[in-house]
């Protein structure tokens, strides 16, 4: 039986073009050789990668924010997240930055909760979701927000209540859904302290220490 484990693999690409380049992402078109020898065209978004933070406080509440997302025409409840803006950037450093910028919060216990490809059929984005505990208000002035972030709402919601909302179809953000259910799964298994360390390797987005 084939082990139930994702493995890297790369099929032959005979031609590549980039018909669109945006500010942060682009669209690539590859001609890919299939196992039967045929060649098919695949279009996909090229993405720098992202990090997200499930920040869990001492009362078992998760720090969440509500933000407008224009492509889906919804205001979504989410966990703090952001792009890996610098090639090779340490994902933990990016996660610490996002938690500070979006919530003005710091944490003294960081672990890797899970790694996901949110939409592998149409985008090469990889996301690392961290668990952050030992929360406290960050020092200094708050980060100045703009655009959609200027309208954000912040809240702390019990983990169990978020799980109920996920299963009821009331919450839809990928990182929130995966983060909440992963935290519950980890807790019911070997426990949150058994999660991977915050600097665990991430082959999808290699980084410097």
């Amino acid at each position: 039986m084939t082990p139930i484990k994702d493995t890297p693999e790369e099929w032959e690409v005979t031609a590549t073009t980039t018909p669109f380049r945006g500010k942060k992402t682009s669209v690539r078109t590859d001609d890919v050789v299939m196992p039967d020898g045929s060649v098919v065209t695949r279009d996909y978004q090229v993405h720098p990668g992202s990090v997200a933070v499930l920040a869990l406080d001492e009362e078992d509440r998760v720090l969440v924010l509500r933000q407008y997302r224009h492509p889906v025409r919804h205001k979504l409840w989410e966990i703090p997240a952001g792009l890996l803006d610098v090639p090779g950037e340490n994902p933990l450093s990016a996660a610490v930055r996002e938690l500070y910028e979006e919530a003005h919060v710091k944490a003294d216990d960081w672990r890797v909760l899970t790694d996901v490809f949110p939409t592998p059929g149409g985008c090469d984005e990889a996301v690392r979701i961290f668990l952050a505990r030992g929360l406290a208000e960050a020092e200094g002035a708050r980060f100045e927000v703009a655009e959609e972030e200027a309208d954000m709402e912040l809240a702390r919601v019990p983990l169990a209540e978020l799980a109920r909302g996920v299963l009821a179809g009331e919450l839809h953000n990928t990182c929130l859904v995966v983060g909440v259910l992963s935290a519950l799964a980890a807790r019911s298994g070997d426990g949150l302290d058994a999660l991977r360390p915050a600097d665990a390797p991430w082959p999808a987005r290699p980084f410097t220490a």
Side-chain angles (χ1 to χ4, degrees):
M1 179 179 175
T2 302
I4 307 302
K5 180 180 179 180
D6 295 337
T7 56
E9 185 168 339
E10 188 168 353
W11 292 359
E12 181 184 358
V13 175
T14 60
T16 298
T17 59
T18 305
F20 171 79
R21 293 184 186 274
K23 183 178 179 181
K24 297 291 186 180
T25 66
S26 60
V27 173
R28 182 175 296 164
T29 298
D30 288 345
D31 292 340
V32 186
V33 180
M34 297 289 105
D36 63 2
S38 63
V39 178
V40 302
T41 299
R42 293 289 180 260
D43 301 319
Y44 58 99
Q45 182 185 17
V46 178
H47 194 285
S50 306
V51 293
V53 184
L54 188 99
L56 188 65
D57 70 15
E58 295 180 353
E59 298 178 41
D60 212 38
R61 300 176 303 174
V62 177
L63 194 156
V64 293
L65 52 92
R66 188 169 182 243
Q67 185 172 348
Y68 176 65
R69 293 301 187 183
H70 186 70
V72 295
R73 307 311 198 265
H74 269 70
K75 269 194 170 182
L76 300 178
W77 284 104
E78 308 178 352
I79 57 177
L83 298 176
L84 291 168
D85 293 314
V86 180
E89 182 178 18
N90 188 303
L92 176 58
S93 298
V96 169
R97 180 185 68 237
E98 293 299 331
L99 186 60
Y100 161 71
E101 290 182 357
E102 296 191 346
H104 199 66
V105 166
K106 62 180 181 179
D108 61 19
D109 188 318
W110 290 85
R111 298 171 193 272
V112 175
L113 188 52
T114 191
D115 300 322
V116 294
F117 294 122
T119 52
C123 181
D124 72 351
E125 181 182 10
V127 181
R128 169 157 281 189
I129 304 176
F130 289 91
L131 174 70
R133 293 179 294 174
L135 308 184
E137 184 174 356
E139 295 89 358
R142 286 185 172 272
F143 182 78
E144 187 174 343
V145 296
E147 300 174 350
E148 290 93 342
E149 293 183 349
D151 189 48
M152 284 196 311
E153 302 171 49
L154 291 173
R156 295 196 183 199
V157 181
L159 182 63
E161 175 61 18
L162 291 175
R164 185 208 62 77
V166 167
L167 299 179
E170 298 169 356
L171 299 170
H172 307 89
N173 175 264
T174 300
C175 292
L176 183 147
V177 170
V178 173
V180 165
L181 298 184
S182 294
L184 290 175
R187 178 178 285 169
S188 66
D190 294 333
L192 299 179
D193 290 337
L195 289 167
R196 286 174 289 162
D199 61 352
W202 189 18
R205 290 293 185 275
F207 58 91
T208 56

